[in-house]
Amino acid sequence: MKADFVLTGAGRLVTCEPGLGEGPLGVIERGALAAWRGEVVWVGREADLAGEVEVAPDAVEVDARGSAVLPGLVDCHTHLVFAGDRAPEFAARLRGEPRATGGVRETVRATRATGDEDLAALALERLDRFLSWGVTTVEAKSGYGLTLEQERRLLSVAAGLRHPVDVVRTFLGAHVVPPEYDDDPEGYVTLVSEGMIPSIGQLAEFCDVWCDEGAFSVDQARRILRAARAEGLGIKVHAEQTARTGAAALAASFGAVSVDHLEHATEEDAEALGISRTVAVLLPGASLGGPYAPARTLIGRGVRVALSTDLNPGTSYSENLPLSAALGCALLRLTAEEAILGITRHAAAAIARERAIGRLARGAACDLVVLGAASEVDLVYHYGANLAAIVVKGGRVVGGAGP
Ligand code: NIG
Ligand code: FE
């Protein structure tokens, strides 16, 4: 078979495809990989490469020099498009002042007042930072517009971003009730369900709702999710973040692709999720100081767990996905293997792309990251360090600090 990209020298090729190698991460020692037009066509032992793959003379050749190689990382939950910052709110929280509830609205004000080009520039800077950490795909939610025009605008800005990192769009018109609807929250639910969702078209692939105390009730979320389902949007839910409301069970009953946060989820919620295919997306950076999502209980019930930064200006201002994985180990008690699957394969599943990304196997995208370390465990062990030495997207080298 022909290849226009070839990776050699992988001391440990972490495929995230258990059938291809050792252990839950499917590790191939002294591995190699070949791709054609951005798609993986072969993975195996380097010793077998020459006999099985015909490498084009002008192929891109990457030498991992004995390092560990992982699939390009996937951040499956971000609020990428916003303006302004809330550093004063953060500092006040550290001083022990009660968590202000108006925070999201402040970002809504700043975002509405910022033009498309400036919003896009801010989002591109964030994508640069994601890429620098080895992330090759992010999910991005709207939710700081909260009018039909503004929500469509934020999704259009996300759709227009030209960057090596792929952006998967989610409509989050039901983030919070905007100030204009303080006296009529049900009216806003009607606007989201009957006005915004039918107008989304190709602008988003998923619909998310923040179902929580201080956001939308289970009944309101149900109305919105029904409308989303009728439009063919995939379902996501911000659930059980500040209180236990029954949002996780609601998500499971809708066959949501993911249910996110879960800091207050119970054993019963884990059970409901365990019999669904819904992926639990846990966001340790958004709950520093606790309480933490019951990751072990979820895994014990057979729930697949992904990890994400939750990049947003209120609860988690970070594009450092490997740090989220390290926090997943330290705070949520995940194993290194679980955390690595949480930012690769399970994260891909949380955005309905499990075959296409988050693993290195025939038919998947040639998105990968060569670590500046011999073992994939370093990603969570050497926390805070940037180990993304070479980042490849679609068979092209697009970033990395160098080996
Ligand atoms: O994921 N839960 C809702 N949304 C964000 C917070 C957004 C904000 O504070 O601006 C979150 O934590
Ligand atoms: Fe979020």
Side-chain angles (χ1 to χ4, degrees):
M1 83 200 44
K2 282 201 298 197
D4 60 9
F5 172 93
V6 63
L7 169 96
T8 55
R12 293 173 64 78
L13 182 66
V14 179
T15 65
C16 295
E17 184 63 68
L20 290 179
E22 248 178 71
L25 295 176
V27 177
I28 304 174
E29 289 192 4
R30 287 181 294 283
L33 173 150
W36 174 249
R37 297 193 174 154
E39 202 177 286
V40 175
V41 291
W42 185 90
V43 293
R45 284 156 31 89
E46 187 167 335
D48 301 327
L49 177 72
E52 296 183 23
V53 179
E54 181 194 329
V55 181
D58 59 349
V60 176
E61 297 191 26
V62 173
D63 181 357
R65 300 191 200 171
S67 292
V69 177
L70 275 80
L73 308 183
V74 177
D75 196 328
C76 59
H77 179 140
T78 87
H79 302 253
L80 181 73
V81 184
F82 65 86
D85 76 81
R86 285 159 39 207
E89 176 190 315
F90 178 74
R93 208 157 60 225
L94 294 179
R95 286 193 300 268
E97 291 173 29
R99 194 175 156 192
T101 50
V104 176
R105 287 180 172 192
E106 188 159 329
T107 301
V108 169
R109 214 171 14 251
T111 303
R112 285 178 179 174
T114 302
D116 294 5
E117 274 184 28
D118 289 341
L119 273 181
L122 289 165
L124 287 169
E125 281 173 24
R126 293 172 193 138
L127 290 179
D128 284 345
R129 284 192 286 270
F130 274 118
L131 182 64
S132 78
W133 290 108
V135 175
T136 49
T137 302
V138 304
E139 181 260 14
K141 304 174 194 301
S142 63
Y144 291 118
L146 309 185
T147 68
L148 189 146
E149 294 72 25
Q150 289 279 348
E151 285 293 306
R152 285 183 54 86
R153 184 172 81 96
L154 300 189
L155 292 170
S156 302
V157 165
L161 297 170
R162 295 288 159 259
H163 196 278
V165 175
D166 277 332
V167 176
V168 174
R169 299 181 302 275
T170 296
F171 166 68
L172 179 59
H175 195 181
V176 295
V177 175
E180 305 82 54
Y181 282 84
D182 268 341
D183 298 332
D184 183 19
E186 289 298 327
Y188 187 66
V189 173
T190 301
L191 173 65
V192 171
S193 315
E194 296 172 24
M196 296 189 195
I197 287 174
S199 88
I200 292 302
Q202 300 305 305
L203 281 176
E205 187 174 333
F206 300 103
C207 175
D208 195 342
V209 178
W210 186 9
C211 179
D212 212 332
E213 259 172 28
F216 295 88
S217 69
V218 167
D219 285 343
Q220 291 171 332
R222 188 180 293 112
R223 274 179 70 195
I224 293 163
L225 296 180
R226 280 193 182 135
R229 189 166 58 188
E231 286 299 316
L233 291 162
I235 305 288
K236 289 175 163 281
V237 181
H238 276 70
E240 327 294 3
Q241 181 183 10
T242 66
R244 203 269 174 172
T245 64
L250 179 76
S253 76
F254 269 87
V257 63
S258 77
V259 60
D260 304 42
H261 281 287
L262 298 176
E263 286 85 341
H264 291 84
T266 61
E267 181 88 45
E268 209 177 295
D269 296 328
E271 200 180 321
L273 291 169
I275 51 175
S276 76
R277 292 170 56 87
T278 302
V279 178
V281 176
L282 307 186
L283 309 158
S287 62
L288 289 178
Y292 299 111
R296 293 259 52 99
T297 306
L298 290 161
I299 290 171
R301 291 286 183 173
V303 182
R304 294 176 69 180
V305 167
L307 294 165
S308 154
T309 60
D310 193 13
L311 166 70
N312 76 76
T315 57
S316 185
Y317 190 23
S318 173
E319 296 92 349
N320 188 340
L321 185 59
L323 182 60
S324 302
L327 294 175
C329 296
L331 304 175
L332 308 182
R333 308 192 62 79
L334 296 186
T335 65
E337 290 82 5
E338 287 165 345
I340 289 166
L341 287 170
I343 57 173
T344 54
R345 185 159 187 154
H346 294 336
I351 51 173
R353 279 164 171 69
E354 190 174 1
R355 302 296 301 163
I357 55 174
R359 62 187 197 122
L360 294 173
R362 202 184 155 100
C366 182
D367 298 354
L368 57 85
V369 50
V370 178
L371 298 189
S375 166
E376 66 282 6
V377 175
D378 278 55
L379 205 60
V380 291
Y381 165 54
H382 195 171
Y383 66 91
N386 192 337
L387 299 178
I390 304 173
V391 186
V392 171
K393 176 78 186 173
R396 286 190 314 119
V397 176
V398 292

PDB file of all heavy atoms in Angstrom, residues 241-274:
ATOM      1  N   GLN A 241     -23.859  19.857  38.134  1.00  0.00           N
ATOM      2  CA  GLN A 241     -22.626  20.605  38.408  1.00  0.00           C
ATOM      3  C   GLN A 241     -22.665  21.277  39.784  1.00  0.00           C
ATOM      4  O   GLN A 241     -21.738  21.144  40.567  1.00  0.00           O
ATOM      5  CB  GLN A 241     -22.365  21.660  37.330  1.00  0.00           C
ATOM      6  CG  GLN A 241     -21.067  22.448  37.549  1.00  0.00           C
ATOM      7  CD  GLN A 241     -20.829  23.552  36.524  1.00  0.00           C
ATOM      8  OE1 GLN A 241     -21.709  23.871  35.730  1.00  0.00           O
ATOM      9  NE2 GLN A 241     -19.644  24.122  36.541  1.00  0.00           N
ATOM     10  N   THR A 242     -23.744  22.046  40.041  1.00  0.00           N
ATOM     11  CA  THR A 242     -23.786  22.749  41.325  1.00  0.00           C
ATOM     12  C   THR A 242     -24.771  22.114  42.301  1.00  0.00           C
ATOM     13  O   THR A 242     -24.735  22.408  43.492  1.00  0.00           O
ATOM     14  CB  THR A 242     -24.161  24.233  41.149  1.00  0.00           C
ATOM     15  OG1 THR A 242     -25.512  24.307  40.680  1.00  0.00           O
ATOM     16  CG2 THR A 242     -23.251  24.921  40.138  1.00  0.00           C
ATOM     17  N   ALA A 243     -25.637  21.281  41.770  1.00  0.00           N
ATOM     18  CA  ALA A 243     -26.607  20.596  42.631  1.00  0.00           C
ATOM     19  C   ALA A 243     -27.075  19.342  41.911  1.00  0.00           C
ATOM     20  O   ALA A 243     -26.906  19.217  40.704  1.00  0.00           O
ATOM     21  CB  ALA A 243     -27.805  21.504  42.896  1.00  0.00           C
ATOM     22  N   ARG A 244     -27.681  18.437  42.657  1.00  0.00           N
ATOM     23  CA  ARG A 244     -28.188  17.213  42.053  1.00  0.00           C
ATOM     24  C   ARG A 244     -29.650  17.469  41.669  1.00  0.00           C
ATOM     25  O   ARG A 244     -30.489  17.694  42.538  1.00  0.00           O
ATOM     26  CB  ARG A 244     -28.070  16.067  43.057  1.00  0.00           C
ATOM     27  CG  ARG A 244     -28.040  14.717  42.422  1.00  0.00           C
ATOM     28  CD  ARG A 244     -29.419  14.146  42.288  1.00  0.00           C
ATOM     29  NE  ARG A 244     -29.423  12.892  41.555  1.00  0.00           N
ATOM     30  CZ  ARG A 244     -30.491  12.132  41.448  1.00  0.00           C
ATOM     31  NH1 ARG A 244     -31.628  12.484  42.023  1.00  0.00           N
ATOM     32  NH2 ARG A 244     -30.431  11.034  40.747  1.00  0.00           N
ATOM     33  N   THR A 245     -29.923  17.447  40.359  1.00  0.00           N
ATOM     34  CA  THR A 245     -31.268  17.799  39.897  1.00  0.00           C
ATOM     35  C   THR A 245     -31.966  16.694  39.114  1.00  0.00           C
ATOM     36  O   THR A 245     -33.139  16.820  38.796  1.00  0.00           O
ATOM     37  CB  THR A 245     -31.210  19.026  38.954  1.00  0.00           C
ATOM     38  OG1 THR A 245     -30.470  18.646  37.781  1.00  0.00           O
ATOM     39  CG2 THR A 245     -30.571  20.230  39.598  1.00  0.00           C
ATOM     40  N   GLY A 246     -31.250  15.665  38.728  1.00  0.00           N
ATOM     41  CA  GLY A 246     -31.839  14.643  37.856  1.00  0.00           C
ATOM     42  C   GLY A 246     -31.469  14.854  36.394  1.00  0.00           C
ATOM     43  O   GLY A 246     -31.979  14.173  35.502  1.00  0.00           O
ATOM     44  N   ALA A 247     -30.565  15.782  36.138  1.00  0.00           N
ATOM     45  CA  ALA A 247     -30.175  16.086  34.755  1.00  0.00           C
ATOM     46  C   ALA A 247     -29.448  14.916  34.087  1.00  0.00           C
ATOM     47  O   ALA A 247     -29.592  14.694  32.880  1.00  0.00           O
ATOM     48  CB  ALA A 247     -29.276  17.323  34.742  1.00  0.00           C
ATOM     49  N   ALA A 248     -28.692  14.156  34.870  1.00  0.00           N
ATOM     50  CA  ALA A 248     -27.932  13.045  34.263  1.00  0.00           C
ATOM     51  C   ALA A 248     -28.890  11.975  33.754  1.00  0.00           C
ATOM     52  O   ALA A 248     -28.728  11.461  32.637  1.00  0.00           O
ATOM     53  CB  ALA A 248     -26.961  12.451  35.279  1.00  0.00           C
ATOM     54  N   ALA A 249     -29.886  11.661  34.565  1.00  0.00           N
ATOM     55  CA  ALA A 249     -30.864  10.654  34.131  1.00  0.00           C
ATOM     56  C   ALA A 249     -31.635  11.163  32.916  1.00  0.00           C
ATOM     57  O   ALA A 249     -31.952  10.386  31.999  1.00  0.00           O
ATOM     58  CB  ALA A 249     -31.815  10.331  35.275  1.00  0.00           C
ATOM     59  N   LEU A 250     -31.917  12.460  32.895  1.00  0.00           N
ATOM     60  CA  LEU A 250     -32.592  13.044  31.726  1.00  0.00           C
ATOM     61  C   LEU A 250     -31.725  12.844  30.476  1.00  0.00           C
ATOM     62  O   LEU A 250     -32.218  12.413  29.427  1.00  0.00           O
ATOM     63  CB  LEU A 250     -32.837  14.542  31.967  1.00  0.00           C
ATOM     64  CG  LEU A 250     -33.511  15.280  30.798  1.00  0.00           C
ATOM     65  CD1 LEU A 250     -35.006  14.945  30.744  1.00  0.00           C
ATOM     66  CD2 LEU A 250     -33.320  16.797  30.916  1.00  0.00           C
ATOM     67  N   ALA A 251     -30.446  13.132  30.619  1.00  0.00           N
ATOM     68  CA  ALA A 251     -29.528  12.974  29.482  1.00  0.00           C
ATOM     69  C   ALA A 251     -29.529  11.525  28.998  1.00  0.00           C
ATOM     70  O   ALA A 251     -29.611  11.248  27.793  1.00  0.00           O
ATOM     71  CB  ALA A 251     -28.121  13.404  29.885  1.00  0.00           C
ATOM     72  N   ALA A 252     -29.451  10.604  29.953  1.00  0.00           N
ATOM     73  CA  ALA A 252     -29.435   9.180  29.578  1.00  0.00           C
ATOM     74  C   ALA A 252     -30.715   8.820  28.839  1.00  0.00           C
ATOM     75  O   ALA A 252     -30.689   8.102  27.835  1.00  0.00           O
ATOM     76  CB  ALA A 252     -29.254   8.320  30.821  1.00  0.00           C
ATOM     77  N   SER A 253     -31.847   9.356  29.317  1.00  0.00           N
ATOM     78  CA  SER A 253     -33.132   8.999  28.686  1.00  0.00           C
ATOM     79  C   SER A 253     -33.228   9.549  27.271  1.00  0.00           C
ATOM     80  O   SER A 253     -33.972   9.023  26.452  1.00  0.00           O
ATOM     81  CB  SER A 253     -34.306   9.496  29.541  1.00  0.00           C
ATOM     82  OG  SER A 253     -34.465  10.892  29.378  1.00  0.00           O
ATOM     83  N   PHE A 254     -32.474  10.585  26.964  1.00  0.00           N
ATOM     84  CA  PHE A 254     -32.461  11.140  25.606  1.00  0.00           C
ATOM     85  C   PHE A 254     -31.382  10.489  24.744  1.00  0.00           C
ATOM     86  O   PHE A 254     -31.175  10.891  23.609  1.00  0.00           O
ATOM     87  CB  PHE A 254     -32.237  12.657  25.644  1.00  0.00           C
ATOM     88  CG  PHE A 254     -33.517  13.441  25.699  1.00  0.00           C
ATOM     89  CD1 PHE A 254     -34.112  13.713  26.916  1.00  0.00           C
ATOM     90  CD2 PHE A 254     -34.145  13.891  24.531  1.00  0.00           C
ATOM     91  CE1 PHE A 254     -35.304  14.428  26.980  1.00  0.00           C
ATOM     92  CE2 PHE A 254     -35.331  14.597  24.590  1.00  0.00           C
ATOM     93  CZ  PHE A 254     -35.919  14.867  25.817  1.00  0.00           C
ATOM     94  N   GLY A 255     -30.662   9.527  25.311  1.00  0.00           N
ATOM     95  CA  GLY A 255     -29.557   8.928  24.543  1.00  0.00           C
ATOM     96  C   GLY A 255     -28.506   9.958  24.193  1.00  0.00           C
ATOM     97  O   GLY A 255     -27.928   9.944  23.097  1.00  0.00           O
ATOM     98  N   ALA A 256     -28.249  10.859  25.140  1.00  0.00           N
ATOM     99  CA  ALA A 256     -27.262  11.924  24.891  1.00  0.00           C
ATOM    100  C   ALA A 256     -25.914  11.325  24.515  1.00  0.00           C
ATOM    101  O   ALA A 256     -25.531  10.270  25.024  1.00  0.00           O
ATOM    102  CB  ALA A 256     -27.107  12.781  26.145  1.00  0.00           C
ATOM    103  N   VAL A 257     -25.197  12.017  23.642  1.00  0.00           N
ATOM    104  CA  VAL A 257     -23.850  11.551  23.289  1.00  0.00           C
ATOM    105  C   VAL A 257     -22.916  11.749  24.478  1.00  0.00           C
ATOM    106  O   VAL A 257     -22.031  10.934  24.728  1.00  0.00           O
ATOM    107  CB  VAL A 257     -23.349  12.223  21.987  1.00  0.00           C
ATOM    108  CG1 VAL A 257     -23.218  13.713  22.130  1.00  0.00           C
ATOM    109  CG2 VAL A 257     -22.021  11.643  21.546  1.00  0.00           C
ATOM    110  N   SER A 258     -23.156  12.815  25.258  1.00  0.00           N
ATOM    111  CA  SER A 258     -22.352  13.004  26.473  1.00  0.00           C
ATOM    112  C   SER A 258     -23.164  13.714  27.542  1.00  0.00           C
ATOM    113  O   SER A 258     -24.130  14.420  27.251  1.00  0.00           O
ATOM    114  CB  SER A 258     -21.088  13.827  26.177  1.00  0.00           C
ATOM    115  OG  SER A 258     -21.392  15.197  26.058  1.00  0.00           O
ATOM    116  N   VAL A 259     -22.738  13.486  28.782  1.00  0.00           N
ATOM    117  CA  VAL A 259     -23.280  14.222  29.919  1.00  0.00           C
ATOM    118  C   VAL A 259     -22.058  14.727  30.667  1.00  0.00           C
ATOM    119  O   VAL A 259     -21.129  13.992  30.950  1.00  0.00           O
ATOM    120  CB  VAL A 259     -24.217  13.333  30.769  1.00  0.00           C
ATOM    121  CG1 VAL A 259     -23.513  12.113  31.322  1.00  0.00           C
ATOM    122  CG2 VAL A 259     -24.843  14.133  31.896  1.00  0.00           C
ATOM    123  N   ASP A 260     -22.037  16.021  30.951  1.00  0.00           N
ATOM    124  CA  ASP A 260     -20.802  16.671  31.346  1.00  0.00           C
ATOM    125  C   ASP A 260     -20.890  17.291  32.748  1.00  0.00           C
ATOM    126  O   ASP A 260     -21.954  17.774  33.133  1.00  0.00           O
ATOM    127  CB  ASP A 260     -20.461  17.759  30.323  1.00  0.00           C
ATOM    128  CG  ASP A 260     -20.376  17.220  28.892  1.00  0.00           C
ATOM    129  OD1 ASP A 260     -21.242  16.396  28.514  1.00  0.00           O
ATOM    130  OD2 ASP A 260     -19.481  17.632  28.138  1.00  0.00           O
ATOM    131  N   HIS A 261     -19.789  17.285  33.460  1.00  0.00           N
ATOM    132  CA  HIS A 261     -19.639  17.774  34.847  1.00  0.00           C
ATOM    133  C   HIS A 261     -19.846  16.649  35.861  1.00  0.00           C
ATOM    134  O   HIS A 261     -18.893  16.065  36.316  1.00  0.00           O
ATOM    135  CB  HIS A 261     -20.548  18.971  35.171  1.00  0.00           C
ATOM    136  CG  HIS A 261     -20.008  20.259  34.648  1.00  0.00           C
ATOM    137  ND1 HIS A 261     -18.938  20.897  35.209  1.00  0.00           N
ATOM    138  CD2 HIS A 261     -20.382  21.007  33.579  1.00  0.00           C
ATOM    139  CE1 HIS A 261     -18.668  21.994  34.521  1.00  0.00           C
ATOM    140  NE2 HIS A 261     -19.523  22.085  33.520  1.00  0.00           N
ATOM    141  N   LEU A 262     -21.113  16.477  36.341  1.00  0.00           N
ATOM    142  CA  LEU A 262     -21.463  15.365  37.234  1.00  0.00           C
ATOM    143  C   LEU A 262     -20.846  15.427  38.625  1.00  0.00           C
ATOM    144  O   LEU A 262     -20.768  14.405  39.319  1.00  0.00           O
ATOM    145  CB  LEU A 262     -21.094  14.014  36.578  1.00  0.00           C
ATOM    146  CG  LEU A 262     -21.821  13.697  35.266  1.00  0.00           C
ATOM    147  CD1 LEU A 262     -21.291  12.374  34.682  1.00  0.00           C
ATOM    148  CD2 LEU A 262     -23.329  13.610  35.469  1.00  0.00           C
ATOM    149  N   GLU A 263     -20.445  16.625  39.065  1.00  0.00           N
ATOM    150  CA  GLU A 263     -19.852  16.731  40.403  1.00  0.00           C
ATOM    151  C   GLU A 263     -20.790  16.209  41.500  1.00  0.00           C
ATOM    152  O   GLU A 263     -20.335  15.694  42.515  1.00  0.00           O
ATOM    153  CB  GLU A 263     -19.469  18.191  40.713  1.00  0.00           C
ATOM    154  CG  GLU A 263     -18.225  18.695  39.989  1.00  0.00           C
ATOM    155  CD  GLU A 263     -18.494  19.220  38.583  1.00  0.00           C
ATOM    156  OE1 GLU A 263     -19.557  18.890  37.996  1.00  0.00           O
ATOM    157  OE2 GLU A 263     -17.625  19.948  38.057  1.00  0.00           O
ATOM    158  N   HIS A 264     -22.098  16.383  41.308  1.00  0.00           N
ATOM    159  CA  HIS A 264     -23.048  15.954  42.330  1.00  0.00           C
ATOM    160  C   HIS A 264     -23.813  14.690  41.930  1.00  0.00           C
ATOM    161  O   HIS A 264     -24.857  14.384  42.514  1.00  0.00           O
ATOM    162  CB  HIS A 264     -24.034  17.088  42.661  1.00  0.00           C
ATOM    163  CG  HIS A 264     -23.387  18.234  43.387  1.00  0.00           C
ATOM    164  ND1 HIS A 264     -22.720  19.245  42.729  1.00  0.00           N
ATOM    165  CD2 HIS A 264     -23.260  18.495  44.717  1.00  0.00           C
ATOM    166  CE1 HIS A 264     -22.234  20.095  43.624  1.00  0.00           C
ATOM    167  NE2 HIS A 264     -22.546  19.661  44.834  1.00  0.00           N
ATOM    168  N   ALA A 265     -23.309  13.979  40.959  1.00  0.00           N
ATOM    169  CA  ALA A 265     -24.009  12.764  40.514  1.00  0.00           C
ATOM    170  C   ALA A 265     -23.963  11.705  41.616  1.00  0.00           C
ATOM    171  O   ALA A 265     -23.000  11.624  42.388  1.00  0.00           O
ATOM    172  CB  ALA A 265     -23.358  12.229  39.246  1.00  0.00           C
ATOM    173  N   THR A 266     -25.016  10.906  41.674  1.00  0.00           N
ATOM    174  CA  THR A 266     -25.143   9.864  42.704  1.00  0.00           C
ATOM    175  C   THR A 266     -24.915   8.486  42.079  1.00  0.00           C
ATOM    176  O   THR A 266     -24.818   8.339  40.868  1.00  0.00           O
ATOM    177  CB  THR A 266     -26.572   9.879  43.282  1.00  0.00           C
ATOM    178  OG1 THR A 266     -27.477   9.601  42.196  1.00  0.00           O
ATOM    179  CG2 THR A 266     -26.911  11.226  43.892  1.00  0.00           C
ATOM    180  N   GLU A 267     -24.905   7.494  42.947  1.00  0.00           N
ATOM    181  CA  GLU A 267     -24.819   6.094  42.533  1.00  0.00           C
ATOM    182  C   GLU A 267     -25.942   5.762  41.533  1.00  0.00           C
ATOM    183  O   GLU A 267     -25.719   5.096  40.528  1.00  0.00           O
ATOM    184  CB  GLU A 267     -24.962   5.243  43.810  1.00  0.00           C
ATOM    185  CG  GLU A 267     -24.875   3.769  43.614  1.00  0.00           C
ATOM    186  CD  GLU A 267     -23.442   3.244  43.674  1.00  0.00           C
ATOM    187  OE1 GLU A 267     -22.700   3.648  44.584  1.00  0.00           O
ATOM    188  OE2 GLU A 267     -23.080   2.434  42.794  1.00  0.00           O
ATOM    189  N   GLU A 268     -27.116   6.281  41.847  1.00  0.00           N
ATOM    190  CA  GLU A 268     -28.289   6.041  40.984  1.00  0.00           C
ATOM    191  C   GLU A 268     -28.073   6.644  39.580  1.00  0.00           C
ATOM    192  O   GLU A 268     -28.423   6.032  38.566  1.00  0.00           O
ATOM    193  CB  GLU A 268     -29.470   6.763  41.642  1.00  0.00           C
ATOM    194  CG  GLU A 268     -30.848   6.203  41.426  1.00  0.00           C
ATOM    195  CD  GLU A 268     -31.824   7.057  42.228  1.00  0.00           C
ATOM    196  OE1 GLU A 268     -31.714   7.030  43.486  1.00  0.00           O
ATOM    197  OE2 GLU A 268     -32.624   7.769  41.625  1.00  0.00           O
ATOM    198  N   ASP A 269     -27.475   7.820  39.547  1.00  0.00           N
ATOM    199  CA  ASP A 269     -27.174   8.457  38.249  1.00  0.00           C
ATOM    200  C   ASP A 269     -26.171   7.598  37.477  1.00  0.00           C
ATOM    201  O   ASP A 269     -26.300   7.404  36.266  1.00  0.00           O
ATOM    202  CB  ASP A 269     -26.588   9.856  38.449  1.00  0.00           C
ATOM    203  CG  ASP A 269     -27.578  10.801  39.115  1.00  0.00           C
ATOM    204  OD1 ASP A 269     -28.800  10.636  38.880  1.00  0.00           O
ATOM    205  OD2 ASP A 269     -27.127  11.691  39.862  1.00  0.00           O
ATOM    206  N   ALA A 270     -25.166   7.096  38.200  1.00  0.00           N
ATOM    207  CA  ALA A 270     -24.151   6.250  37.551  1.00  0.00           C
ATOM    208  C   ALA A 270     -24.820   5.010  36.964  1.00  0.00           C
ATOM    209  O   ALA A 270     -24.481   4.568  35.862  1.00  0.00           O
ATOM    210  CB  ALA A 270     -23.076   5.868  38.554  1.00  0.00           C
ATOM    211  N   GLU A 271     -25.789   4.489  37.702  1.00  0.00           N
ATOM    212  CA  GLU A 271     -26.497   3.295  37.237  1.00  0.00           C
ATOM    213  C   GLU A 271     -27.277   3.607  35.953  1.00  0.00           C
ATOM    214  O   GLU A 271     -27.227   2.850  34.979  1.00  0.00           O
ATOM    215  CB  GLU A 271     -27.438   2.837  38.348  1.00  0.00           C
ATOM    216  CG  GLU A 271     -27.870   1.415  38.218  1.00  0.00           C
ATOM    217  CD  GLU A 271     -28.814   1.030  39.361  1.00  0.00           C
ATOM    218  OE1 GLU A 271     -28.581   1.478  40.512  1.00  0.00           O
ATOM    219  OE2 GLU A 271     -29.763   0.288  39.080  1.00  0.00           O
ATOM    220  N   ALA A 272     -27.969   4.753  35.948  1.00  0.00           N
ATOM    221  CA  ALA A 272     -28.742   5.141  34.753  1.00  0.00           C
ATOM    222  C   ALA A 272     -27.807   5.343  33.558  1.00  0.00           C
ATOM    223  O   ALA A 272     -28.107   4.938  32.433  1.00  0.00           O
ATOM    224  CB  ALA A 272     -29.529   6.426  35.033  1.00  0.00           C
ATOM    225  N   LEU A 273     -26.660   5.940  33.815  1.00  0.00           N
ATOM    226  CA  LEU A 273     -25.705   6.174  32.713  1.00  0.00           C
ATOM    227  C   LEU A 273     -25.063   4.865  32.267  1.00  0.00           C
ATOM    228  O   LEU A 273     -24.754   4.685  31.088  1.00  0.00           O
ATOM    229  CB  LEU A 273     -24.635   7.177  33.139  1.00  0.00           C
ATOM    230  CG  LEU A 273     -25.160   8.606  33.322  1.00  0.00           C
ATOM    231  CD1 LEU A 273     -24.113   9.488  33.998  1.00  0.00           C
ATOM    232  CD2 LEU A 273     -25.572   9.207  31.982  1.00  0.00           C
ATOM    233  N   GLY A 274     -24.898   3.955  33.222  1.00  0.00           N
ATOM    234  CA  GLY A 274     -24.251   2.676  32.915  1.00  0.00           C
ATOM    235  C   GLY A 274     -25.031   1.839  31.915  1.00  0.00           C
ATOM    236  O   GLY A 274     -24.442   1.044  31.185  1.00  0.00           O
TER     237      GLY A 274
END
